[in-house]
Amino acid sequence: MLDIKFIRENKDLIKDAAKRKKVVLDVDRLLSLDIKRRSLISEIDALRYEHKISSEKIITLSGEKREKFTEQLRDEKNNLVHKEYDLRAVETEYNELMLLVPNFLDPTVPDGESDADNKEIRAWGEIPDFKKIGGRTYLEIMEDLDMVDLERGVKVSGFRGYFLKNEAAKLSLALWQFCLDFLAKKGFVPMIAPSIVKKDNLIGTGWFPQAEEDVYKTQDETYLAGTAEVAVMGYHKDEILSKNDLPKKYVAFSPCFRREAGSYGKDQKGLFRVHEFFKIEQIILCRADHQESVRFHEELTANSEEIMQLLKIPYRVVINCAGDLGLGQVKKYDIEAWIPSEGKYRETHSSSYFHDFQTRRLNIRYKDEEEKIKFAHSLNNTAIATPRVLEALLENHQKPEGKFEIPEVLKKYM
RNA sequence: GGAGGGAUGCCAGAGUGGUCUAAUGGAACGGUUUGCUAAACCGUGGGGACCAAAAGUCCCGCGUGGGUUCAAAUCCCACUCCCUCCA
């Protein structure tokens, strides 16, 4: 959500952002509703005031005079109710449109249609010769060492189901612990966050209404979140933090659920795209300052890069093009791990900042140095996502003799 | 599963249809005073409309959402959460 005052004054910026992000939105319609809405509010406020004043007079009257005056008050009230009805209709449409207004883009964001147009900004690590290191896909390695059972996974869980077994189970736990420890040492508060969340958190983080079809709904009107970002952002909903509370840094573990609607053809076999996975997510709330957002965005990205480096997985960082950005994201970097069997990089991390887009929807504010109340800024980035990362980890660390070696940093956790 | 009681501002707590413009106390923040600290005194508190802005005026906010009424913290309905007791 953006400030309506900002939208009013930066109409063209919003139109441009909508166009580049491929969002269908009638900005002019929104602005005309805004004008109607405000004029009705003014009118209603004035009518309420008059009505209140006249209502108080009634106490001094009695008998027939009182009857007559009550009649008059009833008419006044009727008029007011009609106006309020009009306002409600205007506001319903206004609110719907407001949820579709995209955040503007950082000037460094390139144009583009999809993830194919994302631009590499740096790469790390030496790309191994796939044939020389063993030439086997992660599924071949895992099946050979009895680390995965996809058939029974599908039997039990349905399409995209899986069981991780033996070393894969241990490896997952080790990765989680390593990442949680690593970020806790950097001052992030470790959390285990709920995956079952109420709708307002999904609207608040900007997942709804846009990505509603990708989220599982329960029979209790709750939802299964696709990331801990949703719950952790909801953690401070409706709060006013003090200036000393910021920045808030959290590292949260949670199971994640995604319907993967609209991706039926993609990655059908394996662990890269599954309905149920586990993720450790970094979340930051900071002061409402662009420079600060940028600084923390780089920091979050650097943290994940450090994790990849310690795991010795070759990767590259791309800056996402406008068409690949969510409604609320001002700028996003993806970290893509090198997948030897596919001979290309694939996304394992996603690092974004939102300015006050999420906090405005979630009503997360703070008092600044001048005791002014402002919406905080928010950011998030993946720390590690399993089982997805296993693909890169196993393939890059395989040995010709059919084994694989785990990175040094994980050894103490296994 | 059943029966009661409750939810008021940052906290405690009064208010059961019309001067509630939500009393009072405490905390916090800002200010005055002060050599410094404490105390004392004054002020402030969330959202919104009008306004270039400030000032100011007004509207909304007593768990949430509806309703009754000229008028609702107060009455009615539904929901959420908390507490007590019974099984």
Side-chain angles (χ1 to χ4, degrees):
Chain A
M1 186 104 69
L2 296 183
D3 187 353
I4 185 64
K5 284 178 195 152
F6 181 86
I7 299 171
R8 247 179 254 150
E9 287 158 16
N10 298 277
K11 188 168 97 171
D12 295 332
L13 189 67
I14 304 300
K15 281 184 179 174
D16 181 59
K19 197 175 153 200
R20 293 179 65 197
K21 283 186 173 179
K22 315 264 172 280
V23 177
V24 179
L25 171 72
D26 189 343
V27 179
D28 293 320
R29 173 75 184 159
L30 175 66
L31 291 177
S32 86
L33 285 168
D34 173 49
I35 291 167
K36 255 188 226 167
R37 176 185 140 263
R38 282 184 293 146
S39 98
L40 278 168
I41 288 173
S42 292
E43 214 176 321
I44 287 169
D45 283 357
L47 286 173
R48 279 195 186 135
Y49 179 61
E50 281 164 33
H51 186 67
K52 201 165 102 181
I53 300 289
S54 5
S55 285
E56 279 161 13
K57 279 188 203 145
I58 204 171
I59 320 166
T60 62
L61 304 174
S62 61
E64 205 174 302
K65 273 188 178 171
R66 190 176 176 126
E67 286 295 309
K68 267 199 166 166
F69 196 59
T70 306
E71 228 15 76
Q72 189 192 322
L73 285 176
R74 249 177 234 144
D75 290 345
E76 256 181 42
K77 180 62 189 288
N78 245 324
N79 186 24
L80 186 55
V81 167
H82 277 105
K83 294 274 182 206
E84 282 172 340
Y85 183 83
D86 292 346
L87 178 62
R88 216 178 291 184
V90 169
E91 282 194 324
T92 302
E93 194 187 343
Y94 169 83
N95 291 334
E96 278 167 17
L97 289 179
M98 280 297 277
L99 287 180
L100 298 176
V101 176
N103 208 346
F104 55 84
L105 302 144
D106 190 278
T108 59
V109 172
D111 274 325
E113 300 292 314
S114 70
D115 56 358
D117 302 313
N118 295 344
K119 298 268 179 289
E120 179 177 318
I121 51 176
R122 60 179 168 271
W124 179 93
E126 217 168 298
I127 287 169
D129 185 327
F130 185 46
K131 286 270 172 345
K132 272 191 191 160
I133 57 171
R136 300 191 307 157
T137 68
Y138 75 106
L139 285 177
E140 286 166 352
I141 297 166
M142 292 180 88
E143 275 158 9
D144 191 41
L145 296 172
D146 195 20
M147 291 165 75
V148 70
D149 196 326
L150 294 175
E151 267 178 46
R152 291 193 178 93
V154 171
K155 178 176 77 174
V156 171
S157 181
F159 181 49
R160 299 192 191 279
Y162 65 94
F163 280 86
L164 295 184
K165 295 171 71 182
N166 298 311
E167 296 307 304
K170 291 191 209 167
L171 192 54
S172 302
L173 289 163
L175 282 163
W176 302 339
Q177 263 196 286
F178 157 65
C179 288
L180 210 68
D181 280 355
F182 176 79
L183 286 160
K185 273 186 207 138
K186 288 187 182 283
F188 286 71
V189 177
M191 273 187 167
I192 293 180
S195 299
I196 299 179
V197 294
K198 295 195 278 183
K199 194 176 190 175
D200 48 2
N201 303 297
L202 287 156
I203 295 171
T205 44
W207 285 78
F208 280 14
Q210 300 272 315
E212 195 158 349
E213 75 284 353
D214 200 33
V215 178
Y216 290 102
K217 187 179 183 180
T218 75
Q219 61 220 105
D220 302 313
E221 294 293 312
T222 52
Y223 298 81
L224 302 183
T227 164
E229 165 203 349
V230 177
V232 176
M233 286 302 295
Y235 187 73
H236 288 295
K237 185 173 183 291
D238 293 323
E239 291 183 19
I240 299 177
L241 303 166
S242 93
K243 58 197 166 215
N244 302 324
D245 291 333
L246 297 176
K248 289 273 189 197
K249 296 183 175 182
Y250 297 105
V251 52
F253 172 88
S254 81
C256 303
F257 302 90
R258 297 191 186 181
R259 292 186 61 228
E260 294 293 350
S263 60
Y264 295 118
K266 293 182 193 164
D267 307 300
Q268 293 215 2
K269 195 182 180 194
L271 299 173
F272 191 79
R273 192 178 301 277
V274 290
H275 289 311
E276 179 178 1
F277 60 100
F278 303 89
K279 189 155 62 72
I280 295 185
E281 183 80 3
Q282 313 173 63
I283 294 108
I284 291 183
L285 291 174
C286 70
R287 293 191 297 114
D289 178 82
H290 175 70
Q291 291 311 321
E292 188 135 325
S293 271
V294 168
R295 187 162 66 80
F296 282 124
H297 185 224
E298 298 300 328
E299 184 182 315
L300 286 182
T301 307
N303 288 344
S304 298
E305 286 187 61
E306 221 180 310
I307 286 168
M308 292 296 265
Q309 289 171 16
L310 288 166
L311 294 175
K312 298 196 164 74
I313 299 174
Y315 67 86
R316 65 172 187 172
V317 180
V318 299
I319 180 167
N320 293 61
C321 72
D324 198 30
L325 286 188
L327 198 67
Q329 294 164 342
V330 178
K331 180 177 179 178
K332 175 159 79 171
Y333 295 134
D334 278 353
I335 293 177
E336 300 178 339
W338 177 254
I339 307 296
S341 66
E342 295 185 42
K344 62 180 180 187
Y345 290 102
R346 299 209 60 183
E347 183 211 317
T348 50
H349 298 67
S350 199
S351 179
S352 340
Y353 72 88
F354 296 81
H355 280 168
D356 61 4
F357 183 90
Q358 295 186 315
T359 54
R360 196 176 282 278
R361 292 183 177 212
L362 288 161
N363 198 26
I364 300 172
R365 295 169 295 168
Y366 72 101
K367 271 190 188 173
D368 73 1
E369 286 72 14
E370 290 155 358
E371 293 294 306
K372 271 197 178 163
I373 290 173
K374 289 180 174 163
F375 289 102
H377 278 191
S378 70
L379 312 89
N380 63 66
N381 183 14
T382 319
I384 202 88
T386 63
R388 177 171 280 202
V389 75
L390 294 180
E391 182 170 2
L393 191 70
L394 294 175
E395 287 189 7
N396 283 290
H397 293 316
Q398 63 180 304
K399 300 284 166 207
E401 59 276 20
K403 295 180 174 173
F404 72 92
E405 191 176 345
I406 66 163
E408 199 57 39
V409 286
L410 296 181
K411 286 188 178 159
K412 72 165 174 170
Y413 297 105
M414 288 185 77

